[in-house]
Amino acid sequence: DIKADAAEPLAETIVSSGLKTVEIAMNTAGAPDLIKKIRKSAKNRLMIGAGTILTTDDLNKAIDAGAGFIVMPTLVEEVVKQCLKKSIPVFPGAFTPQEIYNAWRAGATMVKVFPAKFFGPDYIKEIKGPFKDIELLACGGVTADNIGEFFSCGASAVAFGTSVFKKEWLEEKEFHRIEECIKALI
């Protein structure tokens, strides 16, 4: 969890690291306020989205807070429909070929393959075989050691979270460590 007083220094850390996009999970305490605070601190230097969206109520809270894109751990078709209506990029989560196909057909901007760590980059490569036109976002288990392989195997994008935004680093305000990890991934 990110504390409110960490929003500004965290935003500066993310911007200075070179990262252009960040997602705040809606199951984080005070997520809508964090989205607002990070947006304000980032001064349009970051695209800020909301994750762990499972209901249209969560979606509306995220949009009201200023989220510019939506990420889900699974496909929630009503959320995708609302995002499409509002022209908001949406990244539903999926894992099996059927789930990935269903998410893409529902209108996903990109399908979040989650958790990607269990089968790794080779799984992305295999999925791209029959689904060459489906944009895939590898999420979960992306590290500085395997990020290049995810891209070379066909991932259009990758996401990382607790491996970089570690709870103890956030609590201790060790933003320099977060910045180092982001730079290593970039």
Side-chain angles (χ1 to χ4, degrees):
D1 285 344
I2 303 165
K3 304 296 181 223
D5 65 340
E8 187 173 342
L10 182 59
E12 285 305 318
T13 297
I14 294 167
V15 169
S16 68
S17 73
L19 195 62
K20 304 287 185 214
T21 307
V22 68
E23 164 199 336
I24 304 298
M26 289 299 281
N27 60 352
T28 301
D33 287 336
L34 281 172
I35 291 169
K36 288 176 188 173
K37 286 177 180 170
I38 291 174
R39 280 190 71 222
K40 182 179 178 186
S41 297
K43 300 177 178 116
N44 295 318
R45 298 173 292 167
L46 281 175
M47 171 65 91
I48 301 167
T52 319
I53 302 293
L54 292 169
T55 66
T56 54
D57 186 48
D58 287 342
L59 173 65
N60 292 331
K61 288 176 186 173
I63 291 170
D64 290 347
F69 63 92
I70 300 300
V71 183
M72 299 179 282
T74 190
L75 171 62
V76 180
E77 290 189 37
E78 186 55 36
V79 170
V80 173
K81 286 178 189 173
Q82 290 298 315
C83 287
L84 292 172
K85 264 188 205 175
K86 298 174 186 204
S87 299
I88 296 171
V90 60
F91 305 87
F95 193 71
T96 68
Q98 185 66 58
E99 292 169 345
I100 291 167
Y101 181 73
N102 290 349
W104 187 251
R105 290 224 8 168
T109 306
M110 193 177 292
V111 179
K112 171 183 162 182
V113 178
F114 172 76
K117 71 180 178 181
F118 291 110
F119 293 145
D122 286 338
Y123 185 65
I124 300 292
K125 185 176 183 178
E126 293 299 321
I127 292 296
K128 289 299 281 190
F131 300 127
K132 65 181 180 359
D133 296 331
I134 296 179
E135 302 285 336
L136 301 175
L137 163 68
C139 181
V142 175
T143 67
D145 294 331
N146 66 16
I147 191 170
E149 194 176 354
F150 273 108
F151 283 116
S152 67
C153 286
S156 298
V158 297
F160 49 86
T162 56
S163 65
V164 172
F165 298 97
K166 294 184 180 192
K167 183 179 180 177
E168 60 271 18
W169 293 352
L170 290 167
E171 287 174 356
E172 298 298 321
K173 296 183 173 56
E174 294 186 41
F175 299 112
H176 67 283
R177 295 182 81 178
I178 294 169
E179 184 172 8
E180 289 168 9
C181 283
I182 294 171
K183 285 181 175 180
L185 284 158
I186 290 174

